[in-house]
Amino acid sequence: MHEVICCPVCQGRARKELLTFPNDKYLRRLPTRADYTVRYAICTACGFVYQPQTMDEAEMAVLYGEKYRLSEPPSDYLRGNRCVALQVFSWIAERTGLRGPGRKVLDIGCATGMFLRPFTMAGWTAIGCDAASSWIEYGRREFGLDLRAEFFTKDSFPGEQFDLIVFSHVLEHVLDPAPILGAIREKLADGGFLFIGTPSILAPRRKLYPGLFGGDHVRLFSPRTIRAYLRRHGFQPVAVETHSPRGLRALAVKAERATEPDLRDRDDWGTIMALYRGLFSPSGASCLERNLAALVDRQEPVLEEVCRRFESCPYEARSEGTEPDNVLIRRRDGAANWLYGREGSRLRARLLLERARDRVAASDGPVLLRGFGLGHFAELLEAALRPSASLHIWEPDPAMLLTALRTRDLTNLVRSPRVTLHVGASVDFLETLASEKGGGPLRSLLDPQSPSTRDPFHEELPFLFKDQQPSGSAASHSAVCSAT
């Protein structure tokens, strides 16, 4: 067994126990093992998730060289990975501009070499290596690929340089990736790219155990921690995306030097722990834990935003009776104001729905609600919409949404099949929404709170929406249906 003393991302030593699994199927394959328990910890400095005790080098050599895979690749594996391989090839080509022939690609941990096939079809020179010799033989025989049965080290492929190195779903398995990443830097040609695919701790929409968690996955990244990890090892990330169902995919180039992670942009360990308590221990879960677990069903992209560490949160939910009905906003200058004025969220939500009822009843396409607030108006609106309508809710400030998730049971809303949440400053989703219904315009509503506390694009957005005129006119204001 190998002990991990420091966080692999930020080198911090403080951590909390996240999850424990007592009878891991991968550890049971090791003949020298008596303890089959897998433990995961989370760093309280950066939010990175990893195993504090892992297999040692000898155990990993046995597992991946002899015990990890079947002797022949299953047909469903081959069928599924054909499609994934084409998607990865297209994604890489689009973002790098690299084209064959004359280019060289190396796939580390290539299995049957399936990911190399689209490259060879495009004229690339392709080489792969993997510890599982039987799958290497299959790829050579069936696909005619140049595959080597070996672990990748600094001594592999002497004198070779590659325009692209693929390191897909290997990083989470390796005992110590640092020497491999150092060797990859040496093998990358100037202007070359490293592609990494790896599961995401913030995209758990897959069989959780074994699957996302298991003895074979010794570390689990998020978009923020993969960027920090790459920088620590001398790479500059140029693209990081979450791609369901396989998790993260990242492109990086060689940086001039390694850099320490910037912990101003980090994951919040407490929120991630709440997410997994909600998933693994739903009975007795808190409001936040239930809401986070519910997001996994249909709103998984939201998790990346709400699991961010917020250095300070200006929002404080206040209750009237048994449920929060307003939010106190504390400003940096010491001033404070109520998000929903004196009326409160529930009263404003009912008033706005009455004023907008005709527009809501006439909507049979996408409706955009700007601002989530405490979610009262979103719930009323979702219930009042026609069956043919869909509801898109945009909350620019993740801290506002997290405040609602901590204080109200919103599981029914976020699980609704016609509700989609959009969280954060990006407005890329608006282009897709505006083109729905054959290019017809959107209907837009504001959560009933002061527009001055909402998104910074309030003045620009009305140009996209049905029956709205340039901002500043009376018609524009009434069409937005603000109840302020």
Side-chain angles (χ1 to χ4, degrees):
M1 182 181 294
H2 175 73
E3 294 282 343
V4 181
I5 305 300
C6 300
C7 169
V9 169
C10 72
Q11 301 300 297
R13 291 177 176 245
R15 63 195 182 199
K16 295 282 187 180
E17 182 177 307
L18 178 64
L19 292 166
T20 299
F21 303 98
N23 195 25
D24 182 72
K25 74 173 187 177
Y26 296 107
L27 298 186
R28 290 188 66 86
R29 298 175 189 178
L30 300 173
T32 58
R33 273 271 177 163
D35 181 7
Y36 310 125
T37 303
V38 174
R39 297 176 177 84
Y40 283 90
I42 185 165
C43 173
T44 57
C46 70
F48 184 56
V49 174
Y50 61 99
Q51 291 182 23
Q53 296 90 31
T54 72
M55 292 176 282
D56 59 30
E57 288 186 8
E59 290 173 323
M60 285 198 162
V62 170
L63 179 65
Y64 293 114
E66 306 171 17
K67 307 285 187 179
Y68 192 67
R69 298 188 179 118
L70 299 172
S71 57
E72 290 278 313
S75 58
D76 58 344
Y77 167 88
L78 295 171
R79 195 164 44 245
N81 275 277
R82 285 179 188 273
C83 181
V84 174
L86 290 170
Q87 291 173 348
V88 168
F89 172 77
S90 299
W91 190 83
I92 291 172
E94 179 182 347
R95 284 155 183 79
T96 65
L98 295 177
R99 298 288 187 273
R103 300 287 189 180
K104 293 180 66 175
V105 57
L106 169 65
D107 187 352
I108 301 169
C110 64
T112 63
M114 186 70 73
F115 277 34
L116 291 175
R117 296 186 72 217
F119 290 95
T120 60
M121 294 175 186
W124 289 59
T125 299
I127 302 174
C129 64
D130 195 284
S133 58
S134 61
W135 285 36
I136 289 291
E137 289 299 327
Y138 183 94
R140 289 173 180 166
R141 182 178 70 250
E142 298 297 325
F143 306 138
L145 295 169
D146 181 2
L147 306 181
R148 323 282 176 87
E150 62 181 76
F151 286 101
F152 177 78
T153 71
K154 61 181 179 60
D155 300 318
S156 302
F157 310 107
E160 299 258 22
Q161 292 277 286
F162 298 91
D163 300 287
L164 173 70
I165 295 181
V166 175
F167 198 42
S168 185
H169 289 267
V170 181
L171 183 62
E172 66 271 19
H173 297 271
V174 180
L175 179 62
D176 182 10
I180 297 177
L181 291 172
I184 288 174
R185 275 179 54 86
E186 296 299 319
K187 301 297 179 184
L188 268 185
D190 292 341
F193 290 85
L194 166 64
F195 171 84
I196 288 179
T198 189
S200 173
I201 191 68
L202 299 184
R205 194 189 300 163
R206 56 184 290 177
K207 189 175 181 180
L208 287 173
Y209 179 78
L212 182 63
F213 299 99
D216 59 330
H217 287 176
V218 300
R219 60 189 66 83
L220 290 165
F221 294 90
S222 73
R224 283 179 282 274
T225 55
I226 191 67
R227 291 187 189 98
Y229 193 76
L230 287 169
R231 292 188 182 104
R232 173 172 285 283
H233 292 285
F235 291 90
Q236 176 59 44
V238 295
V240 177
E241 294 182 8
T242 302
H243 174 60
S244 181
R246 290 176 62 85
L248 294 171
R249 50 189 182 186
L251 275 173
V253 295
K254 290 188 288 187
E256 292 184 4
R257 57 184 178 83
T259 57
E260 294 295 314
D262 184 351
L263 293 185
R264 290 174 298 181
D265 185 25
R266 52 183 165 163
D267 293 325
D268 183 75
W269 64 270
T271 309
I272 294 175
M273 288 189 74
L275 165 65
Y276 283 97
R277 280 195 297 266
L279 289 170
F280 281 99
S281 304
S283 61
S286 69
C287 184
L288 175 62
E289 292 161 3
R290 292 194 303 273
N291 284 329
L292 291 172
L295 288 173
V296 173
D297 293 342
R298 298 196 67 259
Q299 315 291 345
E300 196 177 68
V302 175
L303 292 173
E304 181 182 342
E305 294 294 334
V306 298
C307 287
R308 182 190 306 274
R309 173 70 65 88
F310 300 103
E311 294 303 324
S312 61
C313 179
Y315 307 115
E316 180 182 338
R318 294 293 183 92
S319 298
E320 180 177 312
T322 60
E323 184 176 282
D325 194 49
N326 217 325
V327 176
L328 186 66
I329 304 175
R330 299 187 184 278
R331 306 203 175 279
R332 292 182 180 179
D333 61 4
N337 65 285
W338 294 101
L339 183 62
Y340 291 101
R342 290 172 294 181
E343 300 96 330
S345 173
R346 284 174 286 188
L347 177 57
R348 282 205 180 185
R350 291 194 297 268
L351 291 173
L352 179 58
L353 186 63
E354 286 301 317
R355 293 173 58 182
R357 192 170 293 278
D358 290 344
R359 294 185 66 220
V360 171
S363 299
D364 65 353
V367 174
L368 175 65
L369 174 61
R370 289 181 278 153
F372 189 88
L374 285 174
H376 290 109
F377 182 57
E379 290 173 320
L380 293 178
L381 182 57
E382 192 274 336
L385 285 173
R386 297 171 63 176
S388 56
S390 61
L391 177 60
H392 294 260
I393 307 171
W394 176 36
E395 175 50 66
D397 190 346
M400 181 69 255
L401 177 60
L402 187 60
T403 300
L405 295 175
R406 283 173 172 159
T407 54
R408 296 197 62 233
D409 185 348
L410 296 161
T411 54
N412 289 335
L413 178 68
V414 301
R415 284 190 171 126
S416 172
R418 60 178 180 173
V419 171
T420 303
L421 293 177
H422 308 274
V423 182
S426 173
V427 294
D428 292 347
F429 70 92
L430 288 174
E431 183 177 356
T432 302
L433 282 187
S435 65
E436 287 190 24
K437 291 290 290 181
L442 284 162
R443 293 187 181 274
S444 171
L445 298 168
L446 273 175
D447 188 67
Q449 62 229 10
S450 169
S452 65
T453 65
R454 307 313 309 139
D455 64 83
F457 305 106
H458 173 67
E459 294 298 320
E460 298 297 328
L461 287 173
F463 289 99
L464 292 171
F465 304 130
K466 187 181 180 83
D467 300 330
Q468 293 183 14
Q469 300 174 17
S471 59
S473 70
S476 173
H477 185 75
S478 62
V480 174
C481 298
S482 174
T484 56

